[in-house]
Amino acid sequence: MAHTFLFATSLFAVLASAVLATNTNNSCFPGDATVQMYNSDLKLMRDLEVGDKVHTASDMIELSEGHFIPVDAKGKLVYKRAKDLQVGETLWGSSQITELSKVEKLGLYNPFTLSGNIMVNNVEASSHSEWFLDSLFDAIGATEYLPYAYQAVLAPLRAIYNIVGKEIYGKGYAAVNSCVNVAEFGMKHGGSIALTIGIDGVATAMLATKA
């Protein structure tokens, strides 16, 4: 399925860009975006697997409009939704955005990293996008802190991964995903899933390590 993206260009040694999707219900990266791995290799977003080590720290990025990206606000790192980027702003570690336009891309992917950040097309972005806390944080004027909040919400799942390891976690995720679409279910019931499954999973993992 093709999705419409907003293309923001920036001049840096090579052309820098930011792309924002206009589909508010799907906040992710397109499948053909490249991710810089920990060992400096490049991998397509659609080919990422649970447990892959990615580089987390500017050239081109393609984002849906609800995805968060760090900008340089007078030397301070501030997270903004991609749709809120403006010409003249500076992407964190890059240069000023000089133009905005729309493109269409195939695929929507949202890999969560242990650090909460990810390098996509050599541009630093957050792993997080719009979810169940957005309306609350928007109402109190704390939108820029949403990536930190979602990183905290997913802490139990990172704990499970660290306890059981890549192989067991990957098999467990695949088993659950074969029964229920984790991405879609998570968007609809995100808060309760992260809290309930996360806490139960940590307890189970701890018991398993003691057995």
Side-chain angles (χ1 to χ4, degrees), residues 68 81 128-154 186-192 194:
F68 290 97
R81 292 189 183 93
H128 303 289
S129 56
E130 59 185 355
W131 202 13
F132 69 102
L133 292 176
D134 279 43
S135 58
L136 172 62
F137 276 62
D138 288 345
I140 62 177
T143 303
E144 66 184 87
Y145 299 105
L146 277 165
Y148 300 108
Y150 290 138
Q151 184 72 355
V153 167
L154 294 174
M187 283 296 294
K188 185 180 293 186
H189 309 286
S192 57

Side-chain angles (χ1 to χ4, degrees), residues 10 12 15-19 29 34-36 55-63 69-70 85 91-95 117-126:
S10 169
F12 188 52
L15 183 67
S17 62
V19 182
F29 300 107
T34 56
V35 178
Q36 186 174 347
H55 183 36
T56 57
S58 272
D59 299 340
M60 176 164 49
I61 187 171
E62 297 168 348
L63 299 167
I69 185 167
L85 291 176
L91 299 178
W92 189 256
S94 181
S95 59
N117 292 319
I118 187 170
M119 288 290 287
V120 179
N121 291 358
N122 203 31
V123 180
E124 182 176 4
S126 171

Side-chain angles (χ1 to χ4, degrees), residues 69-80 89-93 124 141-145 148:
I69 185 167
V71 299
D72 188 334
K74 297 182 179 180
K76 177 185 177 183
L77 188 157
V78 175
Y79 284 102
K80 299 185 69 172
E89 288 188 309
T90 301
L91 299 178
W92 189 256
E124 182 176 4
T143 303
E144 66 184 87
Y145 299 105
Y148 300 108

Side-chain angles (χ1 to χ4, degrees), residues 30-51:
D32 65 350
T34 56
V35 178
Q36 186 174 347
M37 309 305 291
Y38 186 76
N39 63 0
S40 297
D41 288 346
L42 296 179
K43 197 170 187 178
L44 291 178
M45 185 70 68
R46 60 173 171 263
D47 295 330
L48 285 180
E49 299 176 353
V50 172

